[in-house]
Short mmCIF file of all heavy atoms in Angstrom, two decimals:
data_model
loop_
_atom_site.label_atom_id
_atom_site.label_comp_id
_atom_site.label_asym_id
_atom_site.label_seq_id
_atom_site.Cartn_x
_atom_site.Cartn_y
_atom_site.Cartn_z
N ALA U 38 -41.57 134.05 -77.04
CA ALA U 38 -40.17 133.72 -76.87
C ALA U 38 -39.39 134.69 -75.98
O ALA U 38 -38.17 134.67 -75.93
CB ALA U 38 -39.43 133.68 -78.21
N GLU U 39 -40.08 135.68 -75.36
CA GLU U 39 -39.41 136.68 -74.53
C GLU U 39 -38.48 136.03 -73.60
O GLU U 39 -38.75 134.93 -73.07
CB GLU U 39 -40.49 137.49 -73.78
CG GLU U 39 -41.16 138.54 -74.62
CD GLU U 39 -42.00 139.50 -73.81
OE1 GLU U 39 -42.29 139.20 -72.67
OE2 GLU U 39 -42.34 140.53 -74.32
N PRO U 40 -37.31 136.62 -73.24
CA PRO U 40 -36.95 138.08 -73.68
C PRO U 40 -36.25 138.11 -75.01
O PRO U 40 -35.68 139.08 -75.38
CB PRO U 40 -35.92 138.37 -72.57
CG PRO U 40 -35.28 137.09 -72.20
CD PRO U 40 -36.33 136.01 -72.29
N PHE U 41 -36.38 137.03 -75.76
CA PHE U 41 -35.79 137.03 -77.19
C PHE U 41 -36.77 137.45 -78.18
O PHE U 41 -37.99 137.47 -77.99
CB PHE U 41 -35.22 135.60 -77.43
CG PHE U 41 -34.14 135.15 -76.53
CD1 PHE U 41 -34.50 134.40 -75.41
CD2 PHE U 41 -32.76 135.45 -76.77
CE1 PHE U 41 -33.51 134.02 -74.50
CE2 PHE U 41 -31.85 135.02 -75.94
CZ PHE U 41 -32.14 134.33 -74.80
N HIS U 42 -36.29 137.87 -79.31
CA HIS U 42 -37.08 138.32 -80.50
C HIS U 42 -37.99 137.22 -80.95
O HIS U 42 -39.25 137.41 -81.27
CB HIS U 42 -36.23 138.82 -81.58
CG HIS U 42 -37.03 139.32 -82.76
ND1 HIS U 42 -37.35 138.39 -83.84
CD2 HIS U 42 -37.50 140.46 -83.14
CE1 HIS U 42 -38.03 139.10 -84.77
NE2 HIS U 42 -38.10 140.38 -84.37
N ASP U 43 -37.53 136.03 -81.08
CA ASP U 43 -38.33 134.92 -81.64
C ASP U 43 -37.69 133.54 -81.12
O ASP U 43 -36.72 133.48 -80.46
CB ASP U 43 -38.21 134.94 -83.21
CG ASP U 43 -36.82 134.98 -83.70
OD1 ASP U 43 -36.17 133.93 -83.62
OD2 ASP U 43 -36.40 135.99 -84.24
N TRP U 44 -38.32 132.49 -81.46
CA TRP U 44 -37.92 131.19 -80.92
C TRP U 44 -36.67 130.75 -81.52
O TRP U 44 -35.90 129.98 -80.89
CB TRP U 44 -39.10 130.17 -81.14
CG TRP U 44 -40.06 130.34 -80.16
CD1 TRP U 44 -41.36 130.88 -80.25
CD2 TRP U 44 -40.02 129.90 -78.77
NE1 TRP U 44 -42.00 130.90 -78.99
CE2 TRP U 44 -41.23 130.24 -78.06
CE3 TRP U 44 -39.03 129.15 -77.99
CZ2 TRP U 44 -41.44 129.98 -76.75
CZ3 TRP U 44 -39.29 128.94 -76.69
CH2 TRP U 44 -40.46 129.30 -76.09
N ASN U 45 -36.36 131.02 -82.73
CA ASN U 45 -34.98 130.74 -83.25
C ASN U 45 -33.95 131.44 -82.43
O ASN U 45 -32.85 130.76 -82.04
CB ASN U 45 -34.76 131.19 -84.71
CG ASN U 45 -35.44 130.16 -85.66
OD1 ASN U 45 -36.28 129.37 -85.30
ND2 ASN U 45 -35.00 130.20 -86.97
N GLU U 46 -34.08 132.70 -82.10
CA GLU U 46 -33.05 133.43 -81.31
C GLU U 46 -32.98 132.70 -79.91
O GLU U 46 -31.90 132.49 -79.37
CB GLU U 46 -33.53 134.83 -81.08
CG GLU U 46 -33.27 135.75 -82.32
CD GLU U 46 -31.90 136.09 -82.51
OE1 GLU U 46 -31.00 135.71 -81.70
OE2 GLU U 46 -31.55 136.80 -83.46
N ARG U 47 -34.17 132.38 -79.29
CA ARG U 47 -34.13 131.82 -77.98
C ARG U 47 -33.40 130.51 -77.94
O ARG U 47 -32.62 130.19 -77.05
CB ARG U 47 -35.56 131.65 -77.47
CG ARG U 47 -35.64 130.99 -76.00
CD ARG U 47 -36.96 131.22 -75.38
NE ARG U 47 -36.96 130.54 -74.12
CZ ARG U 47 -37.95 130.69 -73.26
NH1 ARG U 47 -38.94 131.56 -73.49
NH2 ARG U 47 -37.88 130.09 -72.09
N ILE U 48 -33.77 129.58 -78.89
CA ILE U 48 -33.18 128.22 -78.87
C ILE U 48 -31.75 128.30 -79.28
O ILE U 48 -30.90 127.46 -78.81
CB ILE U 48 -33.96 127.26 -79.74
CG1 ILE U 48 -35.45 127.18 -79.20
CG2 ILE U 48 -33.34 125.92 -79.83
CD1 ILE U 48 -36.43 126.48 -80.11
N ALA U 49 -31.29 129.29 -80.09
CA ALA U 49 -29.94 129.45 -80.49
C ALA U 49 -29.14 129.79 -79.17
O ALA U 49 -28.04 129.31 -78.95
CB ALA U 49 -29.72 130.57 -81.50
N ALA U 50 -29.73 130.63 -78.31
CA ALA U 50 -29.09 131.05 -77.04
C ALA U 50 -29.07 129.91 -76.03
O ALA U 50 -28.09 129.79 -75.21
CB ALA U 50 -29.75 132.27 -76.52
N GLU U 51 -30.10 129.02 -76.07
CA GLU U 51 -30.18 127.97 -75.07
C GLU U 51 -29.50 126.68 -75.50
O GLU U 51 -29.19 125.83 -74.65
CB GLU U 51 -31.63 127.73 -74.71
CG GLU U 51 -32.35 128.89 -74.04
CD GLU U 51 -33.77 128.70 -73.82
OE1 GLU U 51 -34.36 127.79 -74.47
OE2 GLU U 51 -34.42 129.45 -73.06
N CYS U 52 -29.42 126.46 -76.84
CA CYS U 52 -28.99 125.16 -77.31
C CYS U 52 -27.88 125.25 -78.34
O CYS U 52 -26.77 124.79 -78.17
CB CYS U 52 -30.10 124.39 -77.85
SG CYS U 52 -29.68 122.78 -78.63
N TYR U 53 -28.14 125.86 -79.46
CA TYR U 53 -27.25 125.78 -80.61
C TYR U 53 -25.82 126.46 -80.34
O TYR U 53 -24.76 125.91 -80.59
CB TYR U 53 -27.79 126.37 -81.91
CG TYR U 53 -29.19 125.86 -82.24
CD1 TYR U 53 -30.26 126.66 -82.58
CD2 TYR U 53 -29.40 124.50 -82.14
CE1 TYR U 53 -31.40 126.15 -82.84
CE2 TYR U 53 -30.65 123.89 -82.44
CZ TYR U 53 -31.71 124.77 -82.75
OH TYR U 53 -32.93 124.27 -83.00
N GLY U 54 -25.90 127.61 -79.63
CA GLY U 54 -24.70 128.29 -79.21
C GLY U 54 -23.98 127.53 -78.09
O GLY U 54 -22.80 127.26 -78.22
N PRO U 55 -24.64 127.17 -77.04
CA PRO U 55 -24.01 126.45 -75.93
C PRO U 55 -23.36 125.13 -76.43
O PRO U 55 -22.27 124.74 -75.79
CB PRO U 55 -25.10 126.23 -74.97
CG PRO U 55 -26.05 127.40 -75.10
CD PRO U 55 -25.93 127.65 -76.63
N ASN U 56 -23.93 124.48 -77.37
CA ASN U 56 -23.31 123.15 -77.81
C ASN U 56 -22.07 123.46 -78.63
O ASN U 56 -21.16 122.65 -78.77
CB ASN U 56 -24.25 122.30 -78.54
CG ASN U 56 -25.18 121.52 -77.57
OD1 ASN U 56 -24.70 120.60 -77.00
ND2 ASN U 56 -26.38 121.92 -77.41
N ALA U 57 -21.91 124.67 -79.18
CA ALA U 57 -20.77 125.03 -79.97
C ALA U 57 -19.63 125.46 -78.96
O ALA U 57 -18.45 125.53 -79.38
CB ALA U 57 -20.99 126.19 -80.87
N ALA U 58 -19.99 125.77 -77.77
CA ALA U 58 -18.97 126.12 -76.73
C ALA U 58 -19.47 125.66 -75.38
O ALA U 58 -19.79 126.41 -74.48
CB ALA U 58 -18.81 127.65 -76.70
N ALA U 59 -19.46 124.25 -75.23
CA ALA U 59 -19.89 123.65 -74.01
C ALA U 59 -18.90 123.78 -72.95
O ALA U 59 -17.73 123.57 -73.12
CB ALA U 59 -20.40 122.23 -74.28
N ARG U 60 -19.49 124.06 -71.74
CA ARG U 60 -18.59 124.30 -70.57
C ARG U 60 -18.32 122.90 -69.88
O ARG U 60 -19.23 122.16 -69.61
CB ARG U 60 -19.21 125.21 -69.42
CG ARG U 60 -19.02 126.66 -69.73
CD ARG U 60 -19.54 127.13 -71.01
NE ARG U 60 -19.45 128.69 -71.11
CZ ARG U 60 -19.10 129.35 -72.14
NH1 ARG U 60 -19.05 128.74 -73.26
NH2 ARG U 60 -19.09 130.67 -72.10
N VAL U 61 -17.10 122.73 -69.55
CA VAL U 61 -16.69 121.56 -68.71
C VAL U 61 -16.17 122.13 -67.36
O VAL U 61 -15.35 123.08 -67.41
CB VAL U 61 -15.55 120.72 -69.30
CG1 VAL U 61 -15.15 119.60 -68.36
CG2 VAL U 61 -15.96 120.19 -70.70
#
Side-chain angles (χ1 to χ4, degrees):
E39 282 190 346
F41 298 92
H42 176 271
D43 55 69
W44 279 100
N45 277 22
E46 285 282 2
R47 179 165 178 170
I48 299 170
E51 294 175 346
C52 174
Y53 307 133
N56 278 288
R60 275 60 173 146
V61 179

